[in-house]
Amino acid sequence: MKRLIVAIDGPAGAGKSTVAKLAAQRLGYTYIDTGAMYRAVAWQALNDRIEPDNESIARLAHKIDLKLSYADGKTEVLVNGKDITDAIRTPEVSRLVSKVAQVPALRDVMLKLQRNMAAQGGVVMDGRDIGTHVLPNADIKIFLTASISERAKRRWLELKARGYNIDLAELEAEIACRDKQDCERDIAPLIAATDAITIDTTKLTINDTVKKIIELCKERQTSVI
Ligand code: CDP
Ligand code: CDP
């Protein structure tokens, strides 16, 4: 059976990482969270008080020792040997990451790393530009979306469970601002690939969404045998 390359893109809070991880587990594939890679660079910039301008981030992109490991359904993010898996999920990193992710030299470094990681097949990769730029020949392309209020509510609940008490309206505005930056940047903006299948998860459960993706993979596998 061919080990497929599955690309999942979409805006913040659409459910990409949750369903991508579960789909990868069910298929016995590797899950690659490309957002975590950009978050790791933003975390390092904050940690080292590096200005998010093109030159400084390009320098950081070329020297950062970034490792993404995936085992037993869990992704670990290491920078210079330090485990920053949880540290990259703070609101501070979320507020900075889209600015950092606009830097062309950084996107270039990430693109190469991500293509290498997917080279063997048997991967589910999620992000913003996977179906359009990173893996334009992916076997399956999904564009996952949901209403902004639903996405903000989901993220709010997630942050609340982690001890953050954030104003819901403020969070919604921040997410909308990040989506705008991601959609309007010059290089590899967030947009559905012309051959992507769009799934609106506003009223879908996680399980239903995963089932749909697995069905699409099964159909695709039968057609490529
Ligand atoms: O989990 P959430 O949807 O909040 O974001 P993420 O997937 O962790 O991605 C964080 C940010 O990284 C995005 O808002 C984008 O600015 C950037 N990103 C990107 O530019 N390209 C990707 N392939 C993945 C993420
Ligand atoms: O990766 P992305 O930012 O697209 O979203 P996520 O981090 O996978 O999902 C954000 C939150 O929404 C998580 O807490 C998920 O459990 C939740 N979620 C949900 O409640 N219903 C869905 N259909 C998908 C995700």
Side-chain angles (χ1 to χ4, degrees):
M1 191 87 73
K2 186 182 177 200
R3 286 171 67 75
L4 304 173
I5 293 182
V6 183
I8 304 184
D9 292 300
K16 300 180 299 299
S17 50
T18 308
V19 302
K21 205 180 296 170
L22 288 169
Q25 265 174 344
R26 288 192 202 167
L27 292 161
Y29 287 7
T30 298
Y31 164 58
I32 302 167
D33 178 356
T34 65
M37 300 170 77
Y38 288 98
R39 283 177 178 272
V41 177
W43 176 87
Q44 186 74 60
L46 277 173
N47 199 54
D48 294 353
R49 296 170 200 264
I50 293 170
E51 285 300 316
D53 59 76
N54 279 9
E55 258 180 42
S56 310
I57 297 300
R59 230 177 293 128
L60 176 59
H62 286 112
K63 74 167 192 205
I64 196 167
D65 171 21
L66 170 63
K67 287 200 176 64
L68 208 64
S69 73
Y70 177 79
D72 302 328
K74 273 195 176 165
T75 298
E76 271 188 1
V77 186
L78 300 180
V79 161
N80 302 322
K82 184 180 163 74
D83 185 345
I84 56 161
T85 311
D86 293 329
I88 61 169
R89 305 282 162 199
T90 60
E92 291 76 19
V93 172
S94 297
R95 277 192 285 269
L96 180 68
V97 63
S98 289
K99 185 155 178 53
V100 166
Q102 288 177 9
V103 176
L106 171 61
R107 298 210 71 85
D108 223 37
V109 169
M110 294 294 163
L111 181 90
K112 288 183 186 121
L113 284 174
Q114 291 156 4
R115 282 192 181 153
N116 267 339
M117 289 192 260
Q120 304 297 319
V123 294
V124 182
M125 186 179 280
D126 84 331
R128 300 293 187 288
D129 61 340
I130 310 306
T132 49
H133 282 82
V134 181
L135 306 171
N137 297 322
D139 298 291
I140 306 260
K141 297 182 189 179
I142 309 284
F143 191 80
L144 219 56
T145 186
S147 71
I148 176 77
S149 55
E150 175 65 23
R151 292 189 285 117
K153 195 178 81 194
R154 288 176 186 171
R155 200 35 63 84
W156 183 82
L157 285 170
E158 197 182 296
L159 286 166
K160 190 163 173 247
R162 289 175 41 219
Y164 290 98
N165 203 0
I166 292 179
D167 181 72
L168 178 59
E170 222 172 88
L171 182 64
E172 183 170 319
E174 265 179 37
I175 290 177
C177 171
R178 185 146 61 94
D179 288 347
K180 189 170 174 337
Q181 280 179 293
D182 290 343
C183 291
E184 291 181 354
R185 69 177 170 229
D186 292 336
I187 303 174
L190 168 63
I191 186 175
T194 48
D195 50 351
I197 297 153
T198 296
I199 303 178
D200 186 331
T201 71
T202 309
K203 295 202 170 88
L204 279 186
T205 64
I206 292 168
N207 202 30
D208 286 343
T209 314
V210 175
K211 266 210 253 162
K212 258 183 197 268
I213 294 172
I214 301 284
E215 271 165 28
L216 288 167
C217 288
K218 296 239 159 88
E219 275 169 29
R220 179 76 180 141
Q221 268 169 334
T222 347
S223 73
V224 292
I225 286 171

